[in-house]
Amino acid sequence: MYPATDGLLVAAMSEPSRTAISVVAPCFNEQDVLPEFLRRVGAVLDAVGGTSEVVLVDDGSRDRTWEIMTAAAAADPRVVAVRLMRNHGHQLALTAGLSVCRGERILIIDADLQDPPELLPDMMALMDQDADVVYGQRRQRDGESLFKRATAAGFYRLINRLTDVDIPADAGDFRLVTRRVLDLLLAMPERHRFIRGMVAWIGGRQVPLHYDRHARAAGESKYPLSKMIRFAADAITAFSVVPLMASMTIGWVMAAVGFGFFIYSIVGWFMHATLPGWASIMAAMGLLGGMQFLMLGIIGAYLGRLYDQSKGRPLFMIRDIVGGRK
Ligand code: UDP
Ligand code: MG
């Protein structure tokens, strides 16, 4: 489905029908914010000038999102409405939009207006100074619970300790990337995508743009705690095998402790000082059993992802594409 990495640059240079800018937004049940989103993005693109497109991906919404999108596509040739077969989740919906878009520069943004599209000109100015990626970095986060902020902060600390990739804290997927970076991103076939990490992994010159993150314009977050935990697990397992290696370290420690117990019991036996030992056996069993289950779980987490990946199914399935320039 994706072009091979070799020759990507050539393909990008010879691609005939590019627009200057693509704005790509995944939308899941966003009927309440979409009209305002389209109005504000449209105004920004008018101000920036040049050719542009807005690629909206309907990620299996159950509300009127698709109707609003297709109406917008009918009214404005810049709007491209993409509908997926079903809900694929934020990262894969975004990937679908990115694979459809044709811009030389691509703005990745959420549809909920938490990240202001008005920053596009500033991002473009930074990109003009030879940047491959300009990522939004949040100064403050309005309307997000203390819990969400604390878990996010803890998560970024953890992932940066566990991985070699420098993933900037307090940055979401809101960013402007070049076509070159996008093609490299799309050439990565992995299924459990942590896009901000994958973009960081690509490298090049990546510069932050500081901004204040607002509360959602309307509707509610589609990221409940369960999805956040899954997202964090995807991120860590996609970029780090440290948890897998941890079983080795713990194994060595447990082996050393076990050896100590062995010597102790032999010596004790020779000295006729062995105790009934119920407590120590139970303690050791509990500890070892717990550790083994933990390690099996970690191995399972990787194995499951490996299995998913090995199936090689398409990452997303598009049902319709409506509108846009021909
Ligand atoms: N989203 C999506 N599919 C999903 C969940 C979310 O396309 O299954 C979109 C959603 O419409 C929004 C973006 O991903 O444009 C970010 O979601 P949300 O704002 O709910 O997350 P939060 O900002 O609360 O972390
Ligand atoms: Mg949001």
Side-chain angles (χ1 to χ4, degrees), residues 1-314:
M1 173 184 299
Y2 294 125
T5 320
D6 300 23
L8 270 184
L9 193 57
V10 179
M13 280 172 2
S14 59
E15 175 66 53
S17 62
R18 290 254 178 259
T19 57
I21 297 183
S22 296
V23 176
V24 180
C27 310
F28 178 51
N29 295 340
E30 299 288 10
Q31 63 176 18
D32 297 331
V33 288
L34 257 185
E36 178 66 3
F37 174 80
L38 284 162
R39 194 191 61 70
R40 277 175 60 182
V41 168
V44 171
L45 291 176
D46 288 341
V48 168
T51 54
S52 58
E53 64 174 1
V54 183
V55 179
L56 302 171
V57 182
D58 174 10
D59 187 18
S61 298
R62 287 180 288 270
D63 64 359
R64 298 193 59 256
T65 297
W66 178 245
E67 283 76 13
I68 295 170
M69 279 185 184
T70 44
D76 183 348
R78 282 188 303 204
V79 176
V80 182
V82 178
R83 174 158 63 161
L84 301 186
M85 294 298 285
R86 54 172 172 79
N87 181 259
H88 284 67
H90 179 199
Q91 301 285 298
L92 292 179
L94 177 56
T95 304
L98 292 173
S99 73
V100 166
C101 79
R102 298 186 291 186
E104 287 298 342
R105 290 177 171 186
I106 301 93
L107 179 71
I108 299 172
I109 190 168
D110 287 349
D112 61 4
L113 293 169
Q114 282 194 279
D115 309 311
E118 290 76 16
L119 292 180
L120 178 63
D122 293 346
M123 289 179 148
M124 290 178 68
L126 280 170
M127 188 164 271
D128 287 338
Q129 299 163 24
D130 195 32
D132 300 282
V133 175
V134 180
Y135 59 90
Q137 198 161 32
R138 301 153 191 168
R139 257 194 305 251
Q140 75 179 52
R141 307 167 125 202
D142 287 348
E144 286 189 20
S145 63
L146 188 65
F147 177 73
K148 184 145 187 171
R149 277 177 292 164
T151 47
F155 167 68
Y156 282 105
R157 278 181 75 105
L158 179 67
I159 192 157
N160 276 314
R161 279 189 75 121
L162 291 182
T163 64
D164 304 332
V165 195
D166 216 358
I167 298 167
D170 278 332
D173 290 319
F174 180 46
R175 59 193 61 216
L176 184 67
V177 302
T178 60
R179 169 54 54 177
R180 177 81 184 123
V181 167
L182 179 67
D183 283 342
L184 289 167
L185 180 69
L186 291 177
M188 297 184 207
E190 63 200 77
R191 163 165 303 274
H192 296 274
R193 297 175 94 76
F194 180 55
I195 292 178
R196 64 201 71 166
M198 293 161 75
V199 172
W201 181 85
I202 289 173
R205 206 169 91 81
Q206 311 210 357
V207 296
L209 176 72
H210 297 279
Y211 73 107
D212 297 323
R213 192 163 209 238
H214 303 289
R216 247 179 181 277
E220 55 193 36
S221 173
K222 277 80 191 176
Y223 263 99
L225 183 62
S226 58
K227 270 198 204 174
M228 273 166 59
I229 291 173
R230 215 179 317 151
F231 188 51
D234 278 347
I236 288 168
T237 52
F239 283 90
S240 175
V241 287
V242 171
L244 209 52
M245 297 302 172
S247 56
M248 186 79 105
T249 313
I250 293 173
W252 278 111
V253 173
M254 293 318 288
V257 171
F259 187 70
F261 265 113
F262 175 73
I263 299 290
Y264 174 76
S265 61
I266 296 287
V267 171
W269 185 75
F270 271 116
M271 296 172 70
H272 306 288
T274 43
L275 296 165
W278 182 84
S280 59
I281 287 174
M282 288 311 280
M285 254 174 56
L287 193 65
L288 288 175
M291 280 298 153
Q292 272 167 353
F293 273 109
L294 176 67
M295 289 307 135
L296 278 177
I298 291 174
I299 292 170
Y302 282 90
L303 197 64
R305 286 169 175 79
L306 206 58
Y307 170 61
D308 264 358
Q309 187 71 41
S310 71
K311 283 188 284 197
R313 292 190 186 162

